[in-house]
Amino acid sequence: MIDRVRRNGSSLLLAAALARTGLTALRAVAPGGRERWGRKNHAGRTVDLYAGPACAAAVAVGTARVRPAVGLAVLAAGACGAYDDVVGAGDARRGFRAHLAALRDGEVTSGTVKLFGICAAGLAAGAVLKEGPLDKVLAGVVIAGAAHFVNLVDVRPGRAAAAGLALGAPGLLREGPGAETAAVAMGAAAAVLPDDLAERTMLGDTGAHALGAALGAAVVAGNGRAGLAAHAVALVAAAACGERVSEAARSLG
């Protein structure tokens, strides 16, 4: 018990320190110029995107210490989110239905690239983390679905980071790598939450997808087939009702 608490605490603190250090460093250096990092939030205020890569890098490093395959999946999810943050900045289309409709018309949007990229990363990680074809697929769905879910609730300041804390907390009660993975996600989320709530920064797709992928991996590590199936169904349903999920997140607080 004491060893488990110590490991989880170390993972949480490491992720928090990495995320905070990354946020501070990016804010000081602003690679490519500060204009590149500015975005308008829901209230029309200009905030920066530094929290996204800072959080994604911290979670990738922290989870890679626990399971390298999870670290790679988190990194891939964050990279796909970063691509959409940059290339899709002016695209008003939201939700996978809109992007798939564009794909049917022959247009490959940044959202489509993100969708398929994160799905591929989730399935690749699931193939490593679980035994048996069905469990591998379910694990991939959970990782990709969790990444998408956290992005769905990232519609107001602090929503995604708070979701990381709330969804990660139950994982701390479990034994093994799932608890450490949840601790990593919680540490990174806690580190950027104050600046996010103060509307100085936002996670963007980069941070939200990376955080969600780590939370999904924590679920995968702590559940058997029945648990994976239940989580997969819930996450697919949330994706199908994406607008309602986002609207519910907007109404909180």
Side-chain angles (χ1 to χ4, degrees), residues 236-252:
V236 169
C241 302
E243 284 300 321
R244 294 182 182 179
V245 172
S246 296
E247 187 58 38
R250 288 188 190 95
S251 68
L252 295 174

Side-chain angles (χ1 to χ4, degrees), residues 73 116-129 133 135-144:
F116 285 102
I118 292 176
C119 287
L123 289 170
V128 174
L129 296 175
D135 289 349
K136 291 175 185 290
V137 171
L138 288 173
V141 171
V142 169
I143 293 171

